[in-house]
Structure formats: C-alpha cells, structure tokens
Amino acid sequence: MSETAKWYVVHTYSGYENKVAQNIEKVVENRSLQDLIYEVKVPTEKVVEVKDNKTREIERKIFPGYVLVKMILTDDSWYVVRNIRGVTGFVGTSTKPVPLTETEVKSLGVETVQVEVDYAVGDSVSVVAGPLEGFGGIINEIDIENNRVAVTVSMFGRETPVDLELNQVKKV
C-alpha cells in the first residue's frame, strides 16, 4: 500500500467528531499504532458570537460530521479506524479511501509548516521566484505566520512596495 503518511477524511455521526477523535487516539495508544496513525484532528474555527448584547468567542466545527486522520494506509490502520464507534466510513470509494491532495491540505490549514528565514528587516534580498524574479530589494516587514514578506523593490527607477511569499526571496 502507501509508505508515506497522508491525510484521510473519516465520516462520523454528526456531533460525535470529538468522541471519535478521542477514541482513535486511545486505540492508537493502546495498540501501539503510532507508526501507522500519526495525528487526528477535528477542524474548528473561532467565531465571535453576539447574543443578547453579549459577545463571546466560541469554537465551531468547520466540517460537522468529519474527522481528519494522518496515517499510513494499511489493512490494519484502515480496519482500526473503520471500526471505531461512531465512524460511518472513509471519504472515497467504498473499497479504498482517497487521501487529501497537498493543495487540499494547505487550503484546509491542517498542517502548519514551520518556515525559517535567514534574513531580517532591513536586509537586501533578491527575488528568486514569481513575476518579479531577478529584481532586488530591501525587506520592510516579515510575517512568518501568514508566510508573507513585504519588500521595497527598485523597479523602473521607482521604489515599489510588494508583498511576496517567504520562499520567493533570498538574502544577497
């Protein structure tokens, strides 16, 4: 089957997402399946709710009825997850679960990739990717959380501020 861990979507009864996630983690721990099933997540978002002139911050499920599981798909891992109470099945064909693509994983924000940069505000950089490739500039701001860097690029004799991704610039 597959040798690398991928994210799979597990369908559950609505309202049982947290219980299913806890049960999967418990079974993984009890049966020592950490080498097959790595991570279990219930995608949530924080929402500010105004009710009776009171504001409160609540956590809401993004996909009710679904749990994301990062695992290496084998017969054992499939069987363990499939037979957890509250699980109705995997998303995909009835015979084989379909993993999420890299694009889907990024857009869901399931995995956070830690980026380390070797430049700082005020450093001279060169743009190495994108439409401004080959231009040079000075860093104004670095936003690691959002994977963005603000650079002032000298273009056609004018200083132009541009917003780029962290991996699009390289220290000179």
Side-chain angles (χ1 to χ4, degrees):
M1 297 239 178
S2 176
E3 289 303 313
T4 59
K6 294 186 178 163
W7 285 98
Y8 293 89
V9 181
V10 178
H11 190 263
T12 67
Y13 296 128
S14 190
Y16 282 78
E17 301 89 352
N18 293 333
K19 188 73 175 158
V20 166
Q22 289 171 350
N23 287 343
I24 292 172
E25 288 169 350
K26 204 178 292 179
V27 167
V28 166
E29 193 175 310
N30 291 343
R31 295 188 183 177
S32 298
L33 296 173
Q34 291 87 350
D35 57 332
L36 290 178
I37 301 173
Y38 295 97
E39 209 173 333
V40 181
K41 285 195 175 185
V42 178
T44 58
E45 63 183 349
K46 287 190 184 321
V47 179
V48 175
E49 186 179 81
V50 179
K51 206 177 216 182
D52 300 327
N53 292 331
K54 294 179 184 173
T55 58
R56 2 175 262 170
E57 196 173 279
I58 60 167
E59 216 169 316
R60 183 188 311 162
K61 291 178 182 69
I62 298 174
F63 306 111
Y66 295 97
V67 174
L68 302 175
V69 180
K70 184 175 187 175
M71 65 183 200
I72 296 174
L73 187 64
T74 63
D75 290 339
D76 292 336
S77 63
W78 176 84
Y79 182 82
V80 165
V81 174
R82 176 68 186 87
N83 289 304
I84 296 286
R85 179 174 293 197
V87 172
T88 59
F90 281 89
V91 172
T93 62
S94 59
T95 55
K96 187 176 179 229
V98 178
L100 293 173
T101 63
E102 291 297 319
T103 315
E104 291 168 333
V105 170
K106 275 185 180 176
S107 67
L108 289 173
V110 175
E111 281 187 335
T112 54
V113 178
Q114 193 64 23
V115 179
E116 290 185 18
V117 293
D118 63 344
Y119 45 80
V121 174
D123 285 352
S124 293
V125 292
S126 172
V127 180
V128 294
L132 300 175
E133 186 174 346
F135 284 94
I138 308 272
I139 294 181
N140 296 332
E141 184 183 335
I142 299 173
D143 185 2
I144 292 180
E145 278 185 24
N146 295 319
N147 193 33
R148 307 305 290 170
V149 61
V151 180
T152 300
V153 177
S154 181
M155 186 184 312
F156 308 118
R158 293 184 177 233
E159 299 293 312
T160 308
V162 292
D163 190 35
L164 300 167
E165 290 186 9
L166 292 172
N167 63 351
Q168 287 183 304
V169 296
K170 188 177 185 182
K171 190 173 181 179
V172 179

